[in-house]
Amino acid sequence: MLTLTGVGGVGKTRLARRIAAEMAREFPDGVWLIDLAPLVVGDLLTDTVAGTIGCPRPDLATLAEYLRDKRLLLVLDNCEHLIAQCAALAGDLLTMAPELRILATSRQPLHLADELILEVPPLTVPGAAEMDGALQNEAVRLFEDRATSAVHEFRVDDANSMAVVRLCRRLDGIPLAIELAAVRVLILSVEQILERLDDRFRLLTKGPSTAPARQKTLRALLDWSYDLCSAEERVLWERLSVFSGGCGVEAIEQVCSGDEVAPEDVLDLLTQLMDKSILQRRAQGSAVRFEMLDTLRDYGWDRLVASGQDKALRLRHRDWCRSLAAQSEAEWFSEHQMEWLGRLAQEQGNVRAALEFCLSEPGEAWAALEIAAAMWSHRLSWSSPSEGHHWLERALAQDSAPSATRAKALWVNAWLVLLRGEARAAKPLLEECRELAQRHGDEAQLAGAMHITGFSALLAGDFARAFELLEEARARRRALGHRGHAWVALFQLAMTAVLMDDPRASALCEEVLETARSANAEWSVSYALWVTALDRWRQGELRSAGTMMRDAVRLKLRCNDHLGLAQCVEGLAWIVADDKQHEQAAQMLGAAHVVWRSIGTSLSGLRHLAGAHDRCESDLRRHLGEATFKAAFDRGTEFTLDQAAAYALDEKLAGRAESLQPESDATSTLTRREREIAELVAKGLSNKQIADTLVISQRTADCHVGNILRKLNFTSRSEIVKSWASRELGHE
């Protein structure tokens, strides 16, 4: 383990990314960058690491086992606010996974026994006797580069070089400090910048004597940047610090305007803060988001706390998150479904920050219940069902008031627990929910308790009881006008009918698919396709079932829905087995096993699917023999998650029982997902744009692009563009 330490703004993250990029080929199992800055809860550290690298379950034992035989590089960026948790996790993983390497960045060491520390120094600055080569000095060149970006005609020359050198010395060569100073050439000469900086430095002599000099210098620069802002810009800077992971214009207008910041002035103030390098603009698809470097955000937060306005802003931020969650729930079963999945994924840092505030501020746990419960409709926005359960468990423990909000949170939590395969834990939650709803005559939560009780019966394989409960729950939801809830109950009703071989199954599946398509709800369509494919399989229409199941897989990949993908690959294995493609079906069962593990779920907790799985496996063992079945199954378990999806989608496999064959060109080493991303790179999309297009995180897109470069032995994105251009010509 190597930890890069140093003052904020010194360039630890940039250096870590560069090291990771140049070392990528040394790690056959990949390089994984995890930015911990948006993670406000240390309890979710293991979940976050596991979810990023594709580990089956978000617990330490499974994560260690998953990493045991892998050679990969884990980059933990911005550990300083989670020092104890990062140290504990890194220490355990390094002990149990001998081939693992960890590169961390932090403002302080993690203090592990085998941790190597590299303090990232500031850029070198010219000494008193080094003026002859000053123009080639790295700090001076950085200042010139950033100043030229602000004023195109700016150059460091004989007339201003002495002042630039003095300025870089006064800033101790800290890159962020130099960049912030350089942008001031828009309105000041270098000499004027230096003069104002000198004035500010004199004030720092009264600061804490124990503080490192570099921290004093950076603080001085930030104080100075703050003083150069107008009163309105300062207020907006402070208020923007309440956001975690960036935000959009509408959020800023709602949370940050009022009093000293008029709503109609927000756009101009944002522009001015960007000009001053306080804010960074990030284009994400058709939307624009604004972010601050952590150092600047921390500074703004300190100022906000000093002003006594921090709680008021936290409450406004909380209310914005409440509104966001409520709107996403109201619109989830509509043409906006995919848009909401992407948006909530972007706002995950803000939602987590709002929940943590609600659970740490006395009397605010009710709001955490409200926000987390509303997210039932977009469970993919959590890192896993475990994260949603984490927040709801904490909120339920803190707010025991017998309210409608609590009743709703209870059935939502029970649902998440069931998705984790823990039926026993769901039962008391549903019982309390039912008792509360009956006491208050709350028809909506009574319907919720009945619905999830029916879902629990379905998972347990008690199909007759499940059908009865789900049919009643659907009727209640329809009477209440809850279209989304009613559709989910209908979908689960159709699933029950298919699995119990009920003659009403086909009509229910047709209604499920038609209703989802009429709403233009693509995620819901993917589930409707899955259950309808199973119905076609039940009736022996294998070709139609296979086509429909693969269509569902494609939508699952767009949604980044690993639970749904596991169900699809599993179902496709049953279809292929009945089509007498026994060895291929055995390999697909192995591939399904990979996807089930990736979400920390097994069929043992999902008895409604376990029966069909067991019958399929038994038939395959009988047809193939134990040795052949095991060999094919084991080949499937060697797939990555992307390779499992690619195997399921490869239409050319129909009619033969061998593993994937290589393509004729260099892209044969890429998974289906990597080929898809390479095509987007070739079209000129950035990693952020690719992430938005595919509804995945930017970290995932970064990792995929890095793996593509490594596999194709390329060093730049331009080589991908050239390769794909020649490939298209060759196919014409």
Side-chain angles (χ1 to χ4, degrees):
M1 179 174 184
L2 172 65
T3 302
L4 307 180
T5 64
V7 66
V10 81
K12 301 182 292 296
T13 295
R14 289 185 193 179
L15 179 57
R17 287 175 179 267
R18 183 63 175 270
I19 292 171
E22 295 191 358
M23 296 285 295
R25 295 176 187 174
E26 302 296 320
F27 296 92
D29 293 305
V31 172
W32 301 91
L33 174 66
I34 303 177
D35 181 11
L36 301 180
L39 191 65
V40 296
V41 183
D43 293 345
L44 297 176
L45 177 62
T46 303
D47 280 35
T48 301
V49 173
T52 300
I53 68 175
C55 175
R57 292 182 67 89
D59 60 84
L60 178 60
T62 307
L63 181 57
E65 181 62 29
Y66 181 81
L67 292 171
R68 187 179 304 279
D69 59 351
K70 289 181 171 58
R71 181 170 178 79
L72 61 76
L73 176 63
L74 195 60
V75 182
L76 301 178
D77 192 27
N78 296 304
C79 298
E80 49 269 1
H81 62 305
L82 301 172
I83 285 291
Q85 295 92 334
C86 287
L89 180 62
D92 289 336
L93 293 181
L94 290 170
T95 299
M96 294 183 275
E99 293 299 312
L100 173 67
R101 300 293 181 268
I102 297 178
L103 175 61
T105 74
S106 176
R107 297 182 191 178
Q108 65 185 89
L110 274 64
H111 299 296
L112 291 175
D114 296 325
E115 177 187 23
L116 297 176
I117 308 298
L118 175 62
E119 182 177 2
V120 180
L123 300 175
T124 60
V125 294
E130 299 173 323
M131 287 303 299
D132 289 345
L135 298 184
Q136 301 305 313
N137 174 264
E138 58 189 17
V140 173
R141 285 190 287 117
L142 176 63
F143 181 90
E144 182 178 50
D145 179 76
R146 298 301 186 266
T148 303
S149 296
V151 178
H152 296 312
E153 63 270 22
F154 180 88
R155 294 292 182 274
V156 176
D157 54 26
D158 291 340
N160 63 19
S161 60
M162 180 68 74
V164 171
V165 168
R166 288 181 58 204
L167 180 62
C168 290
R169 284 181 192 160
R170 297 296 288 170
L171 299 177
D172 283 349
I174 298 173
L176 176 60
I178 292 171
E179 290 175 349
L180 289 171
V183 77
R184 302 303 172 203
V185 300
L186 276 167
I187 52 175
L188 298 170
S189 69
V190 179
E191 289 78 9
Q192 287 174 314
I193 296 172
L194 183 61
E195 179 182 351
R196 291 171 182 242
L197 192 61
D198 284 342
D199 288 339
R200 177 56 60 192
F201 282 173
R202 279 195 289 271
L203 296 176
L204 289 176
T205 57
K206 296 181 180 180
S209 60
T210 57
R214 292 174 188 157
Q215 288 184 4
K216 291 181 180 179
T217 302
L218 187 57
R219 178 75 189 194
L221 179 60
L222 293 174
D223 284 340
W224 169 76
S225 297
Y226 181 85
D227 289 344
L228 285 180
C229 292
S230 67
E232 294 82 2
E233 290 168 357
R234 295 175 194 172
V235 172
L236 186 56
W237 179 354
E238 293 171 4
R239 293 178 180 179
L240 284 169
S241 68
V242 78
F243 291 101
S244 177
C247 53
V249 172
E250 294 81 4
I252 296 171
E253 290 174 331
Q254 185 173 335
V255 176
C256 300
S257 65
D259 299 328
E260 298 141 285
V261 177
E264 61 271 20
D265 292 339
V266 167
L267 293 180
D268 287 340
L269 291 171
L270 289 174
T271 302
Q272 292 156 19
L273 288 176
M274 282 193 296
D275 288 342
K276 292 178 169 64
S277 294
I278 305 303
L279 273 184
Q280 296 177 322
R281 179 185 182 275
R282 295 282 184 262
Q284 294 188 340
S286 59
V288 174
R289 289 177 69 80
F290 298 91
E291 299 175 358
M292 275 193 290
L293 294 173
D294 289 340
T295 303
L296 297 172
R297 179 173 176 259
D298 291 346
Y299 179 89
W301 181 251
D302 287 345
R303 286 281 188 173
L304 188 66
V305 171
S307 73
Q309 297 298 309
D310 52 308
K311 183 176 179 180
L313 261 292
R314 284 284 206 185
L315 290 171
R316 293 170 72 172
H317 179 262
R318 176 210 66 188
D319 289 341
W320 171 73
C321 284
R322 285 176 61 213
S323 174
L324 188 77
Q327 188 180 355
S328 71
E329 182 181 20
E331 297 183 4
W332 86 271
F333 191 65
S334 71
E335 68 274 15
H336 302 299
Q337 191 173 70
M338 294 292 286
E339 177 186 333
W340 274 111
L341 284 174
R343 185 175 177 188
L344 289 175
Q346 289 177 350
E347 302 296 357
Q348 194 175 72
N350 280 311
V351 173
R352 286 169 170 169
L355 288 169
E356 187 60 32
F357 165 72
C358 292
L359 294 173
S360 57
E361 185 71 23
E364 295 296 328
W366 65 270
L369 280 177
E370 189 177 304
I371 294 169
M375 300 286 281
W376 74 268
S377 57
H378 289 81
R379 57 175 174 76
L380 297 186
S381 301
W382 301 121
S383 59
S384 68
S386 297
E387 180 178 355
H389 171 64
H390 163 87
W391 293 114
L392 285 167
E393 282 286 281
R394 289 179 60 188
L396 286 166
Q398 289 190 31
D399 189 329
S400 57
S403 62
T405 301
R406 180 176 179 83
K408 179 180 178 181
L410 285 163
W411 70 252
V412 173
N413 196 25
W415 186 42
L416 294 172
V417 165
L418 288 169
L419 290 175
R420 284 157 45 105
E422 300 172 5
R424 288 186 179 179
K427 186 176 179 180
L429 297 171
L430 290 170
E431 288 174 350
E432 184 184 350
C433 173
R434 190 177 301 107
E435 189 276 329
L436 269 179
Q438 288 173 341
R439 187 194 313 172
H440 295 285
D442 190 331
E443 291 296 327
Q445 309 324 322
L446 278 172
M450 179 173 290
H451 181 179
I452 304 306
T453 303
F455 181 56
S456 178
L458 168 59
L459 296 186
D462 187 351
F463 297 139
R465 182 166 184 263
F467 196 94
E468 179 184 351
L469 289 169
L470 290 169
E471 194 171 38
E472 176 65 20
R474 180 203 181 195
R476 292 188 178 212
R477 287 299 193 184
R478 291 180 69 176
L480 291 165
H482 298 166
R483 290 176 64 242
H485 293 84
W487 181 88
V488 175
L490 173 63
F491 160 72
Q492 292 169 353
L493 192 64
M495 191 195 320
T496 305
V498 169
L499 294 173
M500 66 191 293
D501 204 21
D502 190 283
R504 294 167 288 186
S506 295
L508 287 168
C509 287
E510 184 178 339
E511 185 179 356
V512 166
L513 187 54
E514 176 58 30
T515 306
R517 282 176 169 166
S518 297
N520 292 317
E522 288 189 71
W523 183 30
S524 298
V525 168
S526 73
Y527 278 96
L529 285 169
W530 174 77
V531 74
T532 307
L534 291 184
D535 185 56
R536 301 282 175 87
W537 162 67
R538 176 183 69 91
Q539 298 179 70
E541 300 174 17
L542 302 182
R543 176 172 293 185
S544 172
T547 298
M548 195 167 282
M549 194 66 82
R550 289 186 175 94
D551 288 343
V553 169
R554 293 184 182 93
L555 285 175
K556 295 299 183 187
L557 291 170
R558 282 196 60 203
C559 302
N560 202 31
D561 181 0
H562 291 178
L563 174 60
L565 180 61
Q567 294 173 330
C568 287
V569 178
E570 178 75 35
L572 198 54
W574 307 343
I575 295 167
V576 172
D578 277 8
D579 201 26
K580 311 303 181 186
Q581 300 173 55
H582 300 127
E583 193 167 342
Q584 180 187 339
Q587 190 164 339
M588 201 164 291
L589 280 182
H593 181 69
V594 170
V595 192
W596 285 119
R597 283 191 315 178
S598 74
I599 56 172
T601 301
S602 71
L603 285 173
S604 61
L606 305 174
R607 291 176 57 191
H608 68 307
L609 301 180
H613 171 91
D614 292 343
R615 288 191 297 273
C616 177
E617 182 176 331
S618 178
D619 288 346
L620 290 174
R621 289 180 187 274
R622 187 175 66 255
H623 280 99
L624 294 173
E626 190 63 33
T628 303
F629 171 82
K630 186 177 186 304
F633 184 89
D634 288 347
R635 285 200 302 273
T637 62
E638 292 173 0
F639 287 150
T640 64
L641 191 145
D642 276 347
Q643 288 169 337
Y647 189 73
L649 283 174
D650 196 338
E651 304 280 355
K652 295 179 294 182
L653 285 173
R656 55 188 172 88
E658 64 240 50
S659 56
L660 285 170
Q661 297 297 312
E663 296 185 6
S664 58
D665 61 19
T667 67
S668 62
T669 60
L670 303 182
T671 66
R672 182 210 58 80
R673 188 61 141 184
E674 288 167 349
R675 289 195 295 273
E676 183 180 18
I677 288 175
E679 288 174 2
L680 295 177
V681 171
K683 291 178 181 178
L685 273 67
S686 69
N687 287 6
K688 276 186 172 291
Q689 291 169 323
I690 290 171
D692 294 339
T693 300
L694 300 179
V695 197
I696 59 178
S697 70
Q698 189 185 341
R699 290 196 301 270
T700 300
D702 293 341
C703 290
H704 278 307
V705 172
N707 289 337
I708 292 166
L709 294 171
R710 175 174 55 82
K711 288 183 177 182
L712 299 182
N713 200 29
F714 289 166
T715 58
S716 69
R717 299 169 72 93
S718 63
E719 291 180 87
I720 298 177
V721 176
K722 292 176 183 177
S723 173
W724 244 253
S726 62
R727 184 170 177 265
E728 292 301 319
L729 288 172
H731 289 173
E732 290 179 358

